């Protein structure tokens, strides 16, 4: 009788795949069982029952039903109550099997994500706090939010409220009694977070008023992202409000100087004291706000380059307390003899064999087949005179082998406008100290200056960046005004400082040449009137550019930060205060409402630590 | 309900910010007993935030033990989008003050489970002991937060579609393009706001005049959801002259005449404190 009863129900279940009918079947089964008297039950019947039940459940599970969990549990419980203790073992085994099959349900994405969070070792302090870290992320990034939340997910582990209200968190932490002590562990990790308050910040070349700047480790980060991820700053620097008659302090990126021949008595073409000189200059430049620079090697013999460049290469990179040496600027020897300036004419040469001559002179640093890595070359800029024999081919060779990694600059040249234009088409992207040591500007023969004046060059060539030495001695202020206003985005401030810069003496050695000081900011080759480089400092040049060119302080600072960075292809990492940039910045104060060019370098930060404070 | 009528928007902001300053300082928050405040977004509270930042910079106000709950947030707008309410609060308030990040609560419009986000938000409010003061604005259709006309007056934090009028009003922040404005939002409910121990509503401008009139002179009505403030034991509306354009002259005169008493309550020499307790000397609590 029982068998037929169950047989009929089985057919029903088999024929009709409706979940409701299956429910009915299981209900019938459980009710029938509860009506049974203990004596009529035997293990065989129960075993058959168990298998039926599991088949039905398996079919339900196999179809991915996920709303029936509670129902299945009810059925199991009802079956359990109807079973005599002697048959409990069968039943337990059966329910175990069913439970295992239930567990093998695929997890739907609405429950939790299968990914594990990307955490960098530096951000996870090893501390009891890790005990609360949930291994499962609550809100995995979706494609359209990847950019926005990629950084933030790193910090989600520190978001306390997330952990408190996550479904996996069984630890009930009182919300209110948590004070700053919970986050004091953040100082254990290597990344210290600094917040600057109440500053005007130069962002993207424009002043943003009343801003905050967040620095983590040695990079600038987005404050909102860190804040909403629960990170508190370890150090808060309040720059204070504006006082009467003075503007708020201005935070600007660290200055970049692409042409420094020497400083503080050291000359970079002299190999004997070069290592010491690079260290001293790198340390000393910080007080002028220069946080990155390119040591410049004047025209020399090939073996000098073989000796000097490896030393500069070894000093590259970020070192605490030193301005960063980005690479070397090779000024010469492929330059025009009639525009030698303060270089030694004996070392000049042309390139009849084109690119091969350059390789022969500079050695492995220009040889594409050498061990020097393509994107890790110490040589960053080469100054050439394009009218020399074979130079256009050499320039094209450089561009072909090294692409954007080496910038070719036009300088110490007597080329006319057409030759300058051709060289820009061949790959010249910069002009070394515009107006100095080059063909003068004549209205029917503009020389290299004409390349700046063009609204756009033929065949879509980009106008080159140009450096100006704005010390009032090398170029007349009105020439700077004309050049700057012709192409403001391309104007770069360089100091072209020589070994006597930063010193107070009257006589120095520049390479093998005697130079003497003629005026407070003027040094000439001894006995002549030829300028021998400058003793200008970068803040002096910036103030002068404001006065000469009539631009704002922000624009003058752009000429010392954004434009040099763009010319070297490192804008974004340097010369910028946007998130992701290196934390090299300068705080200028004593700004005046009356005199746009007045400022003082008050504090200099390199890699997130303060390296200079004005007394 | 108290109605404070000021001359212009600047006075409204000054009054409200001074009121909040005095409220927080009298409450004297500590880590065990923080001051829980609800904050709005939009153009009305901008002046209030500026002045609160100014108070903080003068050293008069500290946010160390202040817990904030924001009213609303758009759904599926990236958190760092310049028009998201996270960005708004960061730019206008949190960036400048010393509020600890864990004290800041804003609904997450990009949560995987939006309904759970809403219920958890209610739970968070309950966990800190309820909101002490809820600051809010009003829309031209009389809505508070995104509780559009027709919202239940006992509603809690939930997902809400935005009314067309609100989308048009907000399109000015999205470049005038109506299609760029999000159509869904998470918002605290009218019930959530009215559960706060005090409610302060900012109403300024002639565009809100009709809403103000409907909310305080007519009955409690779900078409003008701010009218629920009539049932709140400690409601306050701060408005400027332009917003009273649709009120009866009698109403305006009545509330202005008792403003003198209101003014006394916010000065240091006041005998009655913010919480209504009588003080026997100016400095005792």
């Amino acid at each position: 009788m029982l068998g037929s009863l169950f047989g009929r129900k089985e057919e029903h279940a088999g024929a009709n795949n409706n979940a409701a009918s299956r429910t009915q079947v299981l209900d019938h089964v459980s009710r029938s069982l509860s009506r049974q008297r203990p004596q009529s039950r035997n293990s065989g019947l129960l075993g058959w029952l168990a298998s039926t039940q599991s088949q039905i459940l398996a079919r339900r599970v196999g179809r991915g039903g996920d709303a029936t969990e509670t129902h299945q549990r009810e059925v199991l419980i009802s079956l359990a109550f109807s079973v005599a203790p002697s048959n409990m073992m069968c039943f337990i085994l059966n329910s175990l099997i069913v439970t295992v099959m239930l567990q093998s349900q695929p997890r739907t994405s609405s429950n939790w994500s299968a990914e594990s969070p990307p955490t960098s070792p530096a951000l996870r302090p090893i501390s009891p706090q890790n005990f609360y870290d949930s291994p499962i992320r609550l809100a995995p990034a979706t494609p359209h939010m990847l950019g926005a939340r990629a950084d933030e997910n790193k910090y989600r582990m520190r978001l306390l409220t997330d952990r408190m209200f996550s479904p996996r968190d069984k630890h009930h932490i009182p919300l209110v009694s948590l004070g700053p002590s919970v986050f004091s562990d953040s100082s254990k990790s290597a990344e210290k977070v600094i917040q600057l308050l109440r500053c005007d910040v130069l962002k993207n070349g424009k002043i943003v008023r009343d801003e905050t700047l967040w620095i983590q480790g040695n990079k600038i980060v987005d404050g909102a992202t860190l804040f909403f991820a629960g990170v508190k700053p370890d150090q808060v620097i309040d720059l204070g409000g504006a006082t009467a008659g003075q503007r708020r302090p201005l935070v600007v990126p660290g200055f970049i100087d692409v042409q420094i021949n020497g400083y503080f008595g050291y000359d970079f073409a002299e190999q004997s004291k070069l290592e010491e000189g690079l260290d001293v200059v790198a340390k000393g430049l910080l007080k002028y706000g220069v946080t990155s620079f390119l040591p410049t090697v004047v025209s020399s013999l090939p073996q000098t380059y073989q000796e000097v460049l490896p030393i500069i290469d070894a000093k590259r990179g970020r070192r605490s307390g030193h301005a960063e040496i980005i690479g070397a600027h090779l000024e010469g020897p492929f330059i025009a003899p009639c525009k030698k300036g303060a270089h030694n004419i004996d070392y000049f040469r042309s390139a009849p064999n084109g690119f091969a001559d350059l390789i022969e002179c500079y050695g492995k640093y220009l040889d594409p087949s050498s061990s020097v890595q393509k994107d890790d070359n110490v040589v960053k800029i080469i100054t050439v005179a394009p009218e020399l024999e074979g130079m256009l081919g050499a320039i094209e060779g450089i561009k072909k082998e090294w692409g954007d990694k080496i910038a070719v600059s036009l300088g110490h040249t007597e080329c006319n406008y057409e030759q300058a234009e051709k060289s820009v088409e061949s790959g010249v992207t910069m002009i070394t100290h515009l107006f100095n040591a080059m063909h003068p500007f004549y209205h029917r023969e503009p020389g290299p200056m004409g390349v700046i004046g063009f609204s756009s060059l033929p065949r879509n060539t980009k106008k080159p960046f140009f450096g100006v030495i704005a010390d009032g001695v090398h170029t007349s202020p009105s020439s700077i005004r004309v050049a700057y206003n012709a192409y403001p985005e391309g104007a770069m401030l360089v100091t072209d400082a020589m070994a006597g810069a930063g010193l107070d003496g009257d006589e120095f050695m520049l390479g093998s040449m005697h130079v003497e000081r003629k005026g407070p900011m003027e040094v000439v080759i001894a006995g002549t009137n030829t300028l021998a480089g400058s003793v200008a400092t970068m803040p002096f040049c910036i103030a002068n550019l404001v006065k000469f060119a009539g631009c704002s302080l922000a624009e003058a600072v752009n000429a010392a930060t954004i434009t040099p960075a763009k010319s070297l292809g490192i804008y974004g990492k340097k010369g910028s205060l946007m998130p992701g940039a290196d934390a090299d910045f300068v705080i200028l104060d004593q700004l005046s409402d009356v005199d746009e060019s007045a400022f003082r370098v008050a504090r200099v930060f390199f890699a997130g630590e303060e390296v200079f404070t004005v007394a | 309900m108290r109605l404070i009528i000021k001359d212009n928007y600047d006075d409204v902001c000054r009054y409200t910010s001074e009121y909040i300053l005095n409220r927080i300082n009298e409450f004297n928050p500590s880590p065990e007993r923080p001051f829980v405040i609800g904050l709005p977004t939009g153009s009305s509270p901008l002046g209030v935030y500026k002045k609160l930042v100014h108070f903080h910079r003068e050293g008069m106000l500290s946010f160390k033990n202040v817990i904030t709950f924001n009213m609303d947030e758009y759904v599926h707008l990236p958190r760092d989008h310049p028009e998201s309410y996270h960005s708004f609060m960061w730019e206008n308030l949190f960036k400048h003050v010393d509020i600890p990040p864990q004290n800041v609560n804003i609904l997450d419009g990009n949560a995987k489970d939006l309904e759970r986000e809403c219920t958890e938000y209610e739970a968070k409010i309950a966990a800190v002991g309820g909101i002490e003061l809820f600051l809010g604005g009003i829309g031209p259709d009389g809505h508070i937060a995104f509780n559009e006309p027709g919202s239940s007056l006992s509603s809690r934090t939930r997902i809400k579609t935005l009314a067309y009028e609100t989308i048009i009003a907000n399109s000015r922040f999205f470049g005038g393009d109506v299609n760029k404005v999000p159509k869904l939002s998470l918002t605290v409910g009218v019930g959530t706001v009215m559960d706060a121990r005090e409610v302060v509503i900012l109403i300024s401008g002639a565009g809100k005049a009709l809403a103000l009139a409907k909310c305080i002179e007519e009955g409690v009505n779900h078409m003008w959801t701010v009218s629920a403030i009539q049932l709140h034991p400690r409601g306050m509306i701060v408005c400027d002259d332009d917003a009273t354009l649709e009120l009866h002259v009698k109403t305006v005169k009545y509330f202005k005449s008792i403003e003198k008493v209101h003014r006394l309550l916010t000065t240091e020499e006041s005998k009655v404190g913010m919480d209504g307790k009588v003080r026997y000397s100016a400095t005792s609590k």
Side-chain angles (χ1 to χ4, degrees):
Chain A
M1 184 202 90
L2 269 173
S4 60
L5 169 72
F6 289 127
R8 243 185 296 134
K9 292 295 176 245
E10 247 270 75
E11 278 164 26
H12 274 276
N16 192 349
N17 288 335
N18 197 326
S21 73
R22 255 183 270 143
T23 312
Q24 285 167 13
V25 165
L26 285 171
D27 279 338
H28 275 276
V29 165
S30 52
R31 264 184 262 121
S32 326
L33 273 178
S34 58
R35 271 185 257 120
Q36 290 297 311
R37 268 179 271 149
Q39 298 90 315
S40 55
R41 268 187 242 131
N42 54 38
S43 56
L45 172 65
L46 214 57
W48 179 85
L49 255 180
S51 67
T52 314
Q53 174 211 352
S54 53
Q55 274 170 41
I56 293 169
L57 286 175
R59 248 179 267 144
R60 196 190 299 264
V61 164
R63 289 198 173 88
D66 56 353
T68 57
E69 213 177 84
T70 46
H71 178 76
Q72 283 154 350
R73 272 201 223 107
E74 283 166 23
V75 168
L76 286 170
I77 292 168
S78 63
L79 277 171
F81 278 113
S82 60
V83 163
S86 60
N87 289 310
M88 193 54 88
M89 276 312 261
C90 290
F91 177 72
I92 288 173
L93 203 66
N94 176 58
S95 52
L96 272 173
I97 295 167
V98 168
T99 319
V100 163
M101 289 192 304
L102 282 176
Q103 288 291 343
S104 63
Q105 263 184 17
R107 292 173 183 178
T108 57
S109 61
S110 67
N111 293 336
W112 49 78
S113 140
E115 301 168 30
S116 60
T119 50
S120 77
L123 285 177
R124 289 182 65 102
I126 303 162
S127 70
Q129 258 66 25
N130 283 342
F131 179 61
Y132 297 128
D133 285 352
S134 157
I136 296 181
R137 282 214 340 244
L138 296 174
T142 59
H144 80 272
M145 293 188 290
L146 267 174
R149 292 169 73 93
D151 274 317
E152 186 215 311
N153 283 326
K154 271 199 291 188
Y155 309 115
R156 271 194 92 91
M157 285 301 117
R158 297 166 114 176
L159 179 55
L160 204 63
T161 44
D162 249 16
R163 272 180 255 138
M164 260 178 264
F165 291 92
S166 81
R168 318 287 294 167
D169 190 32
K170 307 284 185 291
H171 311 285
H172 300 285
I173 307 161
L175 175 62
V176 174
S177 64
L178 287 166
S181 57
V182 173
F183 285 90
S184 63
D185 271 281
S186 66
S187 56
K188 274 202 205 143
S189 72
E191 320 254 315
K192 182 172 157 201
V193 177
I194 305 178
Q195 180 192 21
L196 273 81
L197 278 181
R198 281 207 267 187
C199 35
D200 291 350
V201 177
L202 203 63
K203 279 201 165 166
N204 278 340
K206 299 216 167 21
I207 298 185
V208 180
R209 305 237 168 246
D210 206 5
E211 209 16 17
T212 57
L213 202 66
W214 285 58
I215 297 119
Q216 183 169 38
N218 62 352
K219 288 227 176 293
I220 295 178
V221 289
D222 180 31
T225 313
L226 261 95
F227 181 83
F228 288 122
V231 177
K232 273 175 62 151
D234 300 305
Q235 183 191 0
V236 176
I237 301 177
D238 190 348
L239 296 186
T243 52
Q246 282 185 3
R247 282 151 50 182
R248 226 184 244 128
L250 183 64
V251 182
V252 299
F255 308 139
I256 304 173
D257 197 343
V258 301
Q259 200 173 354
I260 297 187
N261 303 291
Y263 235 104
F264 305 117
Y266 292 94
D267 188 77
F268 293 145
E270 198 189 335
Q271 187 257 335
S272 57
K273 292 204 288 179
L274 182 58
E275 268 194 60
E276 182 195 336
L278 285 171
D279 278 340
V280 169
V281 171
K283 278 205 214 108
L285 278 177
L286 285 172
K287 67 174 178 283
Y288 298 124
V290 177
T291 53
S292 319
F293 71 103
L294 263 69
T296 308
V297 186
V298 295
S299 306
S300 313
L301 293 169
Q303 60 252 39
T304 314
Y305 293 113
Q306 309 311 323
E307 292 161 358
V308 160
L309 286 177
I311 300 177
I312 299 180
D313 200 0
K315 293 279 179 191
R316 270 199 301 156
R318 285 163 89 61
R319 291 178 295 155
S320 159
H322 296 71
E324 182 173 346
I325 293 174
I326 299 178
H329 178 165
L330 304 179
E331 196 180 2
F334 295 91
I335 48 183
C338 57
K339 298 285 180 195
K340 64 179 171 71
H343 290 224
N344 189 340
I345 198 169
D346 297 332
Y347 303 142
F348 286 16
R349 51 192 293 183
S350 64
N353 300 323
F355 187 48
D357 276 339
L358 262 63
I359 298 178
E360 188 260 313
C361 176
Y362 299 127
K364 66 173 183 180
Y365 292 101
L366 219 59
D367 191 353
S369 58
S370 74
S371 58
V372 173
Q373 296 293 338
K374 276 271 180 306
D375 50 0
D376 197 29
N377 197 344
V378 65
V379 174
K380 295 292 181 205
I381 308 179
I382 304 181
T383 296
V384 297
E387 78 281 7
L388 294 177
E389 181 193 353
M391 272 326 293
L392 283 180
I395 296 171
E396 274 160 18
I398 298 176
K399 284 291 132 182
K400 190 160 81 77
E401 299 297 343
W402 295 94
D404 294 332
K405 306 301 173 198
I406 298 185
V408 181
S409 184
L410 194 150
H412 288 272
T413 169
E414 55 170 349
C415 71
N416 58 21
Y417 172 70
E418 282 78 25
Q419 286 164 331
E421 201 186 70
K422 266 211 217 62
S423 69
V424 171
E425 284 166 31
S426 299
V428 160
T429 51
M430 286 170 66
I431 300 182
T432 305
H433 47 59
L434 188 71
F435 298 126
N436 297 107
M438 55 179 60
H439 193 293
F441 178 83
Y442 180 62
H443 63 279
R444 279 192 287 178
E445 181 37 71
M449 167 72 183
V451 176
I452 313 291
F454 222 86
S455 64
S456 64
L457 293 170
R459 286 175 283 278
N460 281 336
T461 11
K462 199 168 163 296
K463 282 202 281 195
F465 298 98
F466 61 98
V468 279
I469 307 174
D471 62 353
V473 169
H474 279 71
T475 322
S476 138
S478 52
S479 317
I480 292 189
R481 191 184 185 104
V482 171
Y484 178 84
N485 286 299
Y487 184 30
E489 301 84 40
M492 287 195 307
L493 284 172
V494 297
T495 56
D496 198 18
M498 45 83 80
L503 299 177
D504 289 325
D506 273 344
E507 278 192 18
F508 325 99
M509 289 295 290
L510 180 63
S512 49
M513 228 171 293
H514 288 270
V515 301
E516 63 185 15
R517 193 188 290 268
K518 199 170 123 183
M521 278 291 178
E522 198 175 335
V523 287
V524 291
I525 302 178
T528 69
N529 263 338
T530 316
L531 290 169
S534 83
V535 291
T537 62
M538 191 55 95
F540 179 62
C541 291
I542 294 175
N544 280 346
L545 189 67
V546 175
K547 289 191 210 137
F548 300 163
C551 60
S552 67
L553 182 61
E555 287 164 349
V557 171
N558 292 346
T561 51
I562 298 182
T563 321
K566 280 190 180 159
S567 74
L568 294 170
I570 52 176
Y571 181 56
K573 211 163 77 76
K574 300 244 175 264
S576 159
L577 289 177
M578 301 303 287
D582 285 342
D584 307 337
F585 57 93
V586 180
I587 301 180
L588 309 174
D589 71 352
Q590 291 188 350
L591 302 167
S592 159
D593 283 324
V594 173
D595 180 9
E596 181 76 16
S597 67
F599 69 90
R600 178 181 76 156
V601 172
R603 297 165 86 158
V604 179
F605 284 75
F606 182 79
E609 34 171 76
E610 189 162 355
V611 289
F612 172 74
T613 318
V614 75
Chain B
M1 188 206 79
R2 293 161 56 178
L3 180 67
I4 317 284
I5 303 173
K6 293 288 171 188
D7 288 336
N8 52 41
Y9 176 66
D10 208 38
D11 288 343
V12 165
C13 293
R14 191 175 317 129
Y15 182 90
T16 313
S17 52
E18 279 172 6
Y19 184 81
I20 296 175
L21 168 73
N22 289 326
R23 233 358 209 102
I24 295 179
N25 286 341
E26 236 186 79
F27 187 90
N28 202 7
S30 62
E32 297 80 31
R33 189 172 155 265
F35 189 90
V36 186
I37 188 168
L39 293 176
T41 52
S43 46
S44 308
L46 276 180
V48 175
Y49 291 151
K50 273 202 191 51
K51 291 196 161 49
L52 287 176
V53 168
H54 173 72
F55 289 148
H56 173 259
R57 286 180 176 167
E58 297 291 308
M60 291 152 64
L61 179 58
S62 165
F63 284 81
K64 277 209 176 42
N65 297 308
V66 173
I67 295 186
T68 68
F69 283 90
N70 255 63
M71 279 185 152
D72 43 19
E73 171 64 288
Y74 290 117
V75 166
H76 291 154
L77 198 64
R79 180 181 284 186
D80 60 354
H81 190 281
E83 291 304 327
S84 86
Y85 286 161
H86 282 84
S87 302
F88 180 94
M89 293 308 300
W90 168 254
E91 287 291 326
N92 292 307
L93 186 63
F94 299 142
K95 177 161 88 173
H96 304 291
V97 299
D98 62 346
I99 188 163
Q102 70 263 32
N103 285 4
V104 167
N105 298 284
I106 309 182
L107 285 157
D108 182 9
N110 295 302
K112 264 290 167 181
D113 190 341
L114 293 172
E115 291 209 25
R116 197 176 71 195
E117 172 75 17
C118 295
T119 42
E120 275 178 10
Y121 202 69
E122 291 279 340
K124 278 186 221 178
I125 296 177
V128 292
I131 296 180
E132 186 70 30
L133 186 147
F134 216 124
L135 186 66
I138 191 175
D141 53 4
H143 72 239
I144 185 163
F146 276 137
N147 294 292
E148 309 288 5
S151 299
S152 159
L153 294 176
S154 62
S155 48
R156 313 303 305 184
T157 309
R158 66 207 188 287
I159 312 168
K160 188 79 184 66
T161 46
L162 300 184
Y164 191 54
E165 205 181 317
T166 310
I167 293 181
I168 294 179
N170 286 354
S171 67
R172 69 182 189 270
F173 300 122
F174 289 85
D177 186 357
V178 179
N179 295 321
K180 288 212 183 82
V181 186
K183 296 181 180 41
L184 268 185
S185 71
L186 301 179
T187 176
V188 293
V190 184
T192 319
V193 176
M194 295 303 154
D195 272 356
R197 288 184 274 284
E198 180 164 4
V199 179
V200 176
I201 305 289
L202 295 164
I203 302 185
S204 85
K208 312 279 172 78
L210 183 64
L212 175 60
K214 292 283 183 191
C215 287
I216 64 175
E217 286 185 338
E218 307 201 4
V220 177
N221 190 337
H222 67 162
M223 297 310 272
W224 305 89
T225 39
V226 175
S227 59
I229 201 175
Q230 295 178 21
L231 293 174
H232 194 282
R234 244 182 120 179
M236 181 163 93
I237 296 183
V238 189
C239 71
D240 62 359
D241 259 348
D242 285 345
T244 62
L245 286 174
E246 293 276 351
L247 289 177
H248 292 151
V249 174
K250 181 175 80 172
T251 315
V252 174
K253 281 194 191 275
Y254 167 70
F255 281 110
K256 274 190 175 165
S257 73
I258 57 177
E259 198 178 309
K260 208 163 57 169
V261 178
H262 293 164
R263 224 177 287 135
L264 282 176
L265 284 175
T266 56
T267 60
E268 285 215 351
E269 297 85 36
S270 164
K271 293 244 179 359
V272 183
M274 288 280 151
D275 47 4
K277 294 202 182 90
V278 177
R279 295 199 291 237
Y280 291 100
S281 75
T283 49
S284 73
K285 276 197 58 164

